[in-house]
Amino acid sequence: MSSPETNPIARTVASTQSEMTEIILPNDANTLGNLLGGRLMHFIDLTGAMAAYRHARSHVVTAAMDHIDFIQPVHVGDLLILKSSVNRAFNTSLEVGVKVWVEHPQTGVLLHVASAYLVFVAIDDRGHRQKIPALLPETPNEIRRFADALRRREHREAEAARRKQERREQAGHNSSTAAQ
Ligand SMILES: CC(C)(COP(=O)(O)OP(=O)(O)OC[C@H]1O[C@@H](n2cnc3c(N)ncnc32)[C@H](O)[C@@H]1OP(=O)(O)O)[C@@H](O)C(=O)NCCC(=O)NCCS
């Protein structure tokens, strides 16, 4: 899918910026008429994937979605606004930041609803992981997010190693108790 034209050495953050607006309908809501958390995560995943797709210009799969706080309830009839951009590109993976607001339909007031970081991995047409272009942060905010993304990647890697070690220890414990 990628070629020298579609896969240059580096891309800007601005070239990855993506936005989605949704009107919340009864089908998106729980019995109180509030947007379901899982539905919000779906919208976040989609908006994040758009920025990742614009950067990689190849298929992308979601590898991880970080901790999300649901700060405000969103009601049926509200407008949900989601914005995303790539924070940093690594080898085959990249981190995207997604920020979500609710717009009250009568007043136009905007409230911050949630923020999330997602990691996507670029995949070629044969299903193999694919190297992606570098990201060029330009503004002070983009440079700050670029640096923070590396710290989060290191934290994710440390957490993944810790969980792997826990699974190993649990498997060792299970096999020794089964042998008794
Ligand atoms: C994501 C996936 C491709 C990673 O494959 P893998 O063989 O584990 O890959 P590796 O361990 O070699 O890592 C490849 C890259 O992914 C990153 N990665 C893998 N798992 C990750 C995780 N849980 N969190 C963050 N990054 C992760 C690695 O850091 C590495 O990045 P880099 O190439 O930029 O250095 C694979 O686990 C997968 O296909 N998962 C299912 C994805 C999916 O179906 N998502 C939901 C629907 S889209």
Side-chain angles (χ1 to χ4, degrees):
M1 187 180 262
S2 63
S3 69
E5 292 79 39
T6 58
N7 223 349
I9 308 278
R11 288 192 208 285
T12 60
V13 176
S15 73
T16 72
Q17 277 165 358
S18 303
E19 182 169 342
M20 191 165 95
T21 304
E22 288 283 326
I23 180 160
I24 304 308
L25 297 173
N27 207 27
D28 301 316
N30 63 16
T31 50
L32 292 167
N34 294 342
L35 173 64
L36 289 159
R39 194 81 180 112
L40 176 58
M41 285 162 74
H42 174 66
F43 293 139
I44 289 173
D45 189 28
L46 281 180
T47 316
M50 289 175 199
Y53 201 22
R54 285 188 164 133
H55 185 83
R57 296 288 166 189
S58 73
H59 308 288
V60 290
V61 293
T62 316
M65 189 185 284
D66 280 8
H67 181 91
I68 306 177
D69 285 317
F70 299 111
I71 302 162
Q72 291 283 339
V74 179
H75 306 285
V76 169
D78 285 347
L79 293 171
L80 197 70
I81 298 161
L82 301 101
K83 293 186 182 181
S84 64
S85 57
V86 174
N87 289 334
R88 188 162 183 147
F90 299 100
N91 303 306
T92 65
S93 71
L94 51 84
E95 187 197 87
V96 174
V98 181
K99 195 162 178 184
V100 188
W101 295 264
V102 62
E103 179 182 331
H104 189 266
Q106 271 91 45
T107 61
V109 169
L110 281 179
L111 293 173
H112 179 206
V113 168
S115 293
Y117 300 109
L118 297 91
V119 178
F120 293 90
V121 176
I123 304 286
D124 69 16
D125 285 338
R126 288 173 303 152
H128 300 138
R129 292 190 306 276
Q130 171 169 302
K131 180 118 184 63
I132 50 172
L135 186 78
L136 263 187
E138 295 172 305
T139 68
N141 268 341
E142 291 172 7
I143 291 165
R144 176 182 51 77
R145 290 189 200 114
F146 187 83
D148 289 349
L150 181 61
R151 278 193 284 277
R152 281 188 293 270
R153 175 177 163 99
E154 288 164 354
H155 180 71
R156 277 183 209 108
E157 284 173 350
E159 268 298 294
R162 190 187 59 76
R163 286 197 299 271
K164 199 170 171 186
Q165 179 62 23
E166 259 180 21
R167 286 197 297 275
R168 254 200 227 112
E169 285 168 11
Q170 190 59 45
H173 172 77
N174 289 348
S175 61
S176 69
T177 48
Q180 284 167 9

